[in-house]
Amino acid sequence: MERLRSLIKEILSTPPKKDSCNCGCHSCDNVGNEGVVLNESLVKKDILSENLRYHVDKQLPLTENTFRYGSQAFLNLWAEARSLYLREIIHVNDDDKEILEETDLGNFGLYEGVKVPLDLLLLENEELEEAEDKKKNPPLGKPKRGGSKKFYVYVKNPKTKKIKKVSFGDTSGLSAKINNPEARRAFAARHDCKNKKDKTKASYWSCRLPRYAKLLGLKSSFSGFW
């Protein structure tokens, strides 16, 4: 269990190997890819959730997900990955494989009539204090992927001095066309972006999405409004 604890908590630091691929054929284009690999001969990428598709596109291991440990998004990612892995729709590296094969992380069971997540390791007191501190003092003004919408960011309300979580981003499946000048202009005009100056509102961050493209894994060098 100590091995599993370290896998879940630590970000992999070993560079990917270049002499073999993690789908077993030793000859495909995924040589050296230590992240999640989709078997597109079986299914198309469209069936993946946005969060799992992000790992496939960025060639990232599941253990490098940025969701809060134990959150619903964290558990959903592992549950989805396990379902696809067992059907050989995705291939993963050895560390991810160990978690998917030897644990039930992401699955739920009943304990005394209450639905509880399985194999969700309890943190030590010191780790709990650290997690609590991060919850009370999260990094401000740095948008991240996930949450109830596509993205979220923590900001401090200038009036109340309280920290607020702001969720933003379309959840209907539409993609952000931040590299399309015409689409940017239309969005900025439609949402009156030049007058959106309240950082505690989702509209402020939606209007400035291109500025945080790198943080959010989006491809863009544009830094203004949409």
Side-chain angles (χ1 to χ4, degrees):
M1 295 301 288
E2 187 60 33
R3 166 66 171 163
L4 177 59
R5 182 191 296 273
S6 64
L7 285 178
I8 295 176
K9 288 170 48 186
E10 297 177 5
I11 296 177
L12 300 176
S13 58
T14 305
K17 297 178 181 179
K18 301 297 183 181
D19 58 352
S20 64
C21 64
N22 48 3
C23 65
C25 70
H26 303 284
S27 62
C28 73
D29 293 336
N30 290 305
V31 170
N33 177 6
E34 289 293 319
V36 180
V37 178
L38 176 67
N39 187 346
E40 294 196 65
S41 65
L42 293 180
V43 299
K44 297 301 181 184
K45 198 180 297 183
D46 294 345
I47 76 160
L48 305 181
S49 69
E50 182 179 4
N51 294 332
L52 185 55
R53 188 161 62 244
Y54 178 76
H55 280 263
V56 172
D57 291 340
K58 298 296 180 181
Q59 300 183 1
L60 291 175
L62 297 168
T63 45
E64 290 190 14
N65 77 77
T66 58
F67 298 118
R68 178 176 57 81
Y69 180 76
S71 66
Q72 191 62 54
F74 174 88
L75 296 172
N76 287 345
L77 180 66
W78 283 103
E80 179 186 9
R82 174 177 286 101
S83 174
L84 298 179
Y85 171 76
L86 293 176
R87 292 153 59 194
E88 298 186 347
I89 292 176
I90 62 171
H91 302 283
V92 298
N93 68 15
D94 289 340
D95 291 331
D96 287 350
K97 180 178 179 181
E98 185 172 348
I99 293 176
L100 292 174
E101 290 187 349
E102 298 184 15
T103 79
D104 284 312
L105 189 64
N107 292 334
F108 287 79
L110 287 178
Y111 177 72
E112 296 183 351
V114 179
K115 187 177 180 182
V116 296
L118 301 176
D119 283 339
L120 192 63
L121 300 180
L122 295 178
L123 301 178
E124 302 294 344
N125 289 337
E126 183 177 332
E127 294 164 341
L128 285 171
E129 290 176 3
E130 181 181 351
E132 187 64 24
D133 181 64
K134 288 183 178 179
K135 183 178 180 180
K136 292 180 179 179
N137 302 288
L140 303 179
K142 294 184 178 180
K144 294 184 178 181
R145 299 177 70 90
S148 59
K149 294 189 176 181
K150 276 189 178 181
F151 316 110
Y152 69 93
V153 62
Y154 288 102
V155 298
K156 180 176 288 188
N157 188 310
K159 296 181 180 179
T160 64
K161 304 302 180 182
K162 292 183 178 181
I163 294 176
K164 176 182 179 181
K165 180 180 180 180
V166 180
S167 297
F168 64 99
D170 182 81
T171 56
S172 65
L174 297 176
S175 59
K177 300 177 181 180
I178 57 179
N179 292 308
N180 184 321
E182 186 175 341
R184 288 200 306 266
R185 285 194 293 270
F187 184 96
R190 186 165 66 252
H191 294 274
D192 192 24
C193 285
K194 65 180 180 180
N195 292 315
K196 294 296 190 292
K197 300 178 181 180
D198 187 349
K199 292 185 178 181
T200 66
K201 303 295 184 182
S203 56
Y204 173 93
W205 297 97
S206 292
C207 281
R208 290 158 178 78
L209 183 64
R211 296 185 180 182
Y212 304 95
K214 187 175 181 180
L215 279 176
L216 300 172
L218 301 173
K219 295 180 180 180
S220 175
S221 59
F222 183 74
S223 60
F225 292 133
W226 276 70

